Amino acid sequence: VGRSITDFVHPRDRSTFSTQISSGLGLPKVVNGTEEKEHSPNNCASSLLCRIRRYRDLCSGFGIKEKTVSFTPFLINFNLKTVNGKAVEALNLGLQATPLYSAFKTPNELVTKAIPFVLKHATNGHIEYMDPESVAYLGYLPQDLADMNALQLYHPDDLHYLRHVYETIVKEGAMPRSKSYRMVTQNGDYLKLETEWSSQINPWSQKLEFVTGKHHIIEGPLNPDVFQVQSADRTTKMCDEDKNILRENIIRIMKEMLTKSAEAAKQKKNNRCLEVASIIDNILEVGPKADDELRLEIQDTDNSCFERDSVMLGGISPHHDYDSKSSTETPLS
């Protein structure tokens, strides 16, 4: 009693928790130098996923400080209500917390009726969206995936196959349900799933922008409690594995490899270039006429024009001097 509720929220979830409450309360507006409250509805409800600290009881002794602090994930429903009292107007915040449990009960559980979930990431691997249905299967909350690369979720030994998958996605734009591969959960174990792949192409640049996978779980992890945090040693071991080159190759494929539409546009451009080159070759094969032929044609053309002009104007043509003289001279008497 008397403590802030954020003291019981996991440190990684406090920012999200505070932001959710602040957005529900709203900030006052400044109008003409004075603050005015925004008019909000009487009941304002919202929800988020976060981890709340477990109570450390005294059943096992009084050494509470030596006990490890543990957290349980909850679905928190906020309800903001305005209560009009006699003197002041109060705003009450009500929280309804529903615990979340792992979707698996036994190790390596075979799943037959799992709810598929969607994961969307950019060409650099940054996760853009994850369905809330994935929480019970993977153990990650949305805020856990904010700075995570989707390629880090794949099992290192499956990256060779997934490289082929991404090549197909870039070339064809989509891929039907793939073979089974492994994805890591929050506790560090891997589950098996199959995925239907699709993509989004930028209509202007004809380049790949996003890859979307609809994942179908077929087998659970070895540790069925997906919300259990993995040890630091195991995390370091996973990060030290020499698979970064394969991940970089997949990113390079998504960024640099031509999509199907870009390949068609490039082929069309090449065909036009070949047509233009063929026309230029045909012109060059005909070639210009010889200088003598050009000179002869020009001379003949000039003479014919000169003769025609002399006849039309009634002049004396230099080519008919003899005829002209014989026609004008008279015999001597």
Side-chain angles (χ1 to χ4, degrees):
V1 179
R3 297 184 61 180
S4 173
I5 190 174
T6 55
D7 294 338
F8 299 92
V9 179
H10 195 283
R12 289 190 296 178
D13 302 336
R14 288 175 184 174
S15 176
T16 305
F17 186 86
S18 301
T19 303
Q20 191 77 12
I21 296 177
S22 300
S23 61
L25 292 173
L27 297 176
K29 285 184 176 180
V30 178
V31 180
N32 297 328
T34 60
E35 291 187 355
E36 294 184 0
K37 289 186 177 180
E38 289 187 346
H39 296 284
S40 58
N42 189 30
N43 294 331
C44 181
S46 60
S47 62
L48 85 155
L49 299 170
C50 70
R51 285 156 290 213
I52 298 179
R53 193 180 70 187
R54 288 182 179 179
Y55 173 67
R56 294 183 289 184
D57 55 24
L58 302 177
C59 295
S60 58
F62 293 94
I64 296 179
K65 292 184 178 180
E66 287 75 16
K67 292 183 179 180
T68 304
V69 179
S70 58
F71 295 85
T72 301
F74 285 87
L75 172 63
I76 307 295
N77 292 316
F78 295 93
N79 194 359
L80 298 173
K81 290 185 178 181
T82 303
V83 179
N84 295 320
K86 295 182 179 179
V88 294
E89 183 181 274
L91 186 65
N92 292 342
L93 173 63
L95 281 76
Q96 182 182 4
T98 304
L100 300 177
Y101 300 101
S102 174
F104 309 105
K105 305 299 181 183
T106 59
N108 301 116
E109 179 181 349
L110 296 179
V111 182
T112 56
K113 296 182 179 180
I115 300 175
F117 62 90
V118 173
L119 187 149
K120 177 181 177 182
H121 67 81
T123 54
N124 59 358
H126 185 269
I127 297 176
E128 299 289 337
Y129 173 77
M130 175 77 87
D131 268 346
E133 288 80 4
S134 67
V135 176
Y137 296 105
L138 298 178
Y140 298 105
L141 302 187
Q143 50 268 30
D144 296 332
L145 302 174
D147 299 324
M148 186 176 291
N149 192 304
L151 303 183
Q152 296 289 342
L153 298 175
Y154 304 144
H155 194 284
D157 295 338
D158 295 334
L159 291 176
H160 289 282
Y161 168 68
L162 290 171
R163 177 182 177 180
H164 169 70
V165 169
Y166 278 94
E167 287 179 353
T168 305
I169 295 171
V170 175
K171 289 181 180 179
E172 303 298 332
M175 183 178 181
R177 192 156 174 165
S178 65
K179 298 179 182 179
S180 63
Y181 63 98
R182 290 161 289 184
M183 183 177 289
V184 69
T185 63
Q186 177 79 294
N187 61 23
D189 288 332
Y190 289 86
L191 51 77
K192 290 184 180 180
L193 69 165
E194 298 175 354
T195 304
E196 299 174 19
W197 301 94
S198 61
S199 64
Q200 294 181 5
I201 308 297
N202 188 309
W204 304 106
S205 63
Q206 300 298 328
K207 291 185 178 181
L208 182 69
E209 282 199 346
F210 299 104
V211 175
T212 303
K214 186 177 182 181
H215 304 287
H216 303 265
I217 307 296
I218 60 175
E219 184 180 323
L222 180 62
N223 182 2
D225 185 9
V226 295
F227 293 108
Q228 182 178 341
V229 181
Q230 59 180 315
S231 62
D233 296 339
R234 191 168 186 177
T235 305
T236 305
K237 183 179 179 181
M238 290 176 58
C239 296
D240 290 342
E241 293 181 357
D242 189 16
K243 298 296 181 179
N244 290 330
I245 296 178
L246 286 174
R247 295 187 181 97
E248 292 175 358
N249 289 339
I250 294 176
I251 292 176
R252 190 177 299 110
I253 288 172
M254 290 189 288
K255 288 186 175 182
E256 300 178 3
M257 192 173 180
L258 292 178
T259 60
K260 189 174 183 179
S261 56
E263 188 70 30
K266 182 180 179 181
Q267 185 64 32
K268 186 176 181 180
K269 181 180 178 180
N270 291 339
N271 292 338
R272 289 181 178 178
C273 293
L274 291 175
E275 292 176 359
V276 173
S278 177
I279 294 173
I280 295 175
D281 290 340
N282 293 334
I283 295 174
L284 295 177
E285 286 179 0
V286 175
K289 294 184 178 181
D291 294 340
D292 296 339
E293 295 180 1
L294 290 174
R295 190 179 299 110
L296 180 60
E297 289 181 359
I298 293 173
Q299 183 177 359
D300 294 340
T301 303
D302 292 341
N303 292 338
S304 61
C305 292
F306 181 79
E307 291 179 359
R308 183 173 61 254
D309 294 341
S310 63
V311 173
M312 292 176 62
L313 296 175
I316 299 174
S317 174
H319 302 284
H320 298 80
D321 290 341
Y322 178 78
D323 295 336
S324 299
K325 289 181 180 180
S326 60
S327 61
T328 55
E329 290 180 354
T330 56
L332 296 174
S333 55

